[in-house]
Amino acid sequence: MAHPLVSSKDAHNPPTPVLRVVVANKHGENLVGMLHHAGSNKDDSIMIDLATALTKQGIGAFHFDFSGNGWKCGGSICLYLRRCSQFPMVVNLSGRFYLEKGVEERLGKEFMDRINKEGYIDVVNKSGIVLYKVTKESLMERLNTDMHAACLSISKECRFFTIHGSADKIIPVEDAYEFARLIPNHKLHVIKRANHGYTSHRKQLCDAIINCITSEAGNAPPQSRAEQSNPRTTSFQISPSCLSYL
């Protein structure tokens, strides 16, 4: 279900439609995302900045949050590792390879005792607002995921790009080197001095991702006349692990 939204009316920037898309999953939860058409403009954040950069290049963008902020699939990057055969290209943005790390920082030192007792842990921010719920099932899925085997299983037909900041203190750049070492068709781009949120390196980040996408389109085989009448679209996925701080 798509609901049109309108950006702020500005004399120099006429409003462009942004669609709020709602999709129900099998658990009865709603997946809510924003579909940006070329030319749309939104407020600042990593995914918003990236969506804006993509639409300026004439590439539509749809961004959303995973149910459970990535925990239900054992870390958001795992979802793509399992489904890479469906996409010719995946961009892994600051993904975590060592999934056993970062758990205590988010859930607390006694997280196993708490989750065994209650069956779940509510992760809250500094204001006490619940950000998301971590169930025991999702936690164990994350801790039991074999990232080494998952990386080796990726098809050589899938072009896999990893982008990571060299000064990332949330997910060390060493995780990016592990992806590069194991995934068959892989390209690694490390942005020097960039932190986990790419605070001072947004342009470098957007440029790197756009270069990945346009290089993929440039390497596509020539289209036939029939295909030219129905233009090809490049399908790709970006794993926004940097937003989950896991």
Side-chain angles (χ1 to χ4, degrees):
M1 181 182 300
H3 303 281
L5 301 179
V6 180
S7 59
S8 59
K9 296 181 179 180
D10 185 277
H12 301 288
N13 296 295
T16 54
V18 179
L19 294 180
R20 179 177 180 270
V21 180
V22 181
V23 180
N25 66 17
K26 63 180 180 181
H27 303 291
E29 302 167 323
N30 285 332
L31 174 70
V32 181
M34 303 300 292
L35 175 62
H36 295 251
H37 292 289
S40 63
N41 186 20
K42 294 289 288 180
D43 295 332
D44 185 37
S45 81
I46 292 179
M47 285 297 124
I48 298 299
D49 285 353
L50 178 56
T52 300
L54 289 171
T55 54
K56 285 182 179 178
Q57 298 294 320
I59 304 170
F62 176 67
H63 68 92
F64 59 89
D65 291 328
F66 282 109
S67 171
N69 203 31
W71 284 89
K72 283 198 172 180
C73 44
S76 55
I77 184 59
C78 298
L79 176 66
Y80 296 106
L81 293 179
R82 295 168 181 170
R83 299 181 179 178
C84 280
S85 60
Q86 298 179 18
F87 307 106
M89 174 182 172
V90 171
V91 179
N92 168 27
L93 177 54
S94 302
R96 187 182 288 280
F97 182 88
Y98 299 103
L99 294 178
E100 71 278 6
K101 297 183 179 180
V103 177
E104 184 175 299
E105 290 84 345
R106 296 299 289 168
L107 303 185
K109 292 184 178 181
E110 300 178 353
F111 66 90
M112 283 305 301
D113 291 337
R114 292 172 57 201
I115 209 161
N116 282 329
K117 180 180 179 180
E118 303 292 339
Y120 68 92
I121 294 176
D122 284 333
V123 178
V124 300
N125 61 17
K126 293 180 180 179
S127 301
I129 298 174
V130 177
L131 300 176
Y132 53 91
K133 184 188 299 292
V134 177
T135 64
K136 183 177 180 179
E137 179 185 5
S138 62
L139 174 61
M140 298 313 298
E141 181 180 3
R142 170 173 173 152
L143 295 178
N144 293 327
T145 297
D146 187 343
M147 291 294 285
H148 186 280
C151 288
L152 292 178
S153 69
I154 295 176
S155 170
K156 293 182 180 179
E157 301 301 316
C158 175
R159 300 185 66 192
F160 206 97
F161 293 88
T162 293
I163 299 175
H164 215 106
S166 67
D168 192 333
K169 295 182 179 180
I170 304 296
I171 302 177
V173 70
E174 284 73 21
D175 286 46
Y177 290 122
E178 281 301 295
F179 286 117
R181 184 175 70 88
L182 296 171
I183 296 175
N185 190 358
H186 187 280
K187 181 177 180 180
L188 173 62
H189 182 81
V190 176
I191 300 179
K192 293 182 178 180
R193 295 182 292 276
N195 61 16
H196 192 60
Y198 298 88
T199 307
S200 302
H201 298 81
R202 291 293 176 85
K203 185 179 186 304
Q204 294 95 316
L205 172 63
C206 292
D207 288 346
I209 292 178
I210 289 172
N211 286 337
C212 290
I213 295 170
T214 54
S215 67
E216 167 69 17
N219 289 327
Q223 291 178 294
S224 65
R225 289 186 178 181
E227 290 176 320
Q228 289 174 4
S229 63
N230 185 19
R232 177 190 291 111
T233 58
T234 301
S235 175
F236 64 93
Q237 294 290 317
I238 298 175
S239 172
S241 298
C242 64
L243 296 185
S244 62
Y245 292 92
L246 301 180

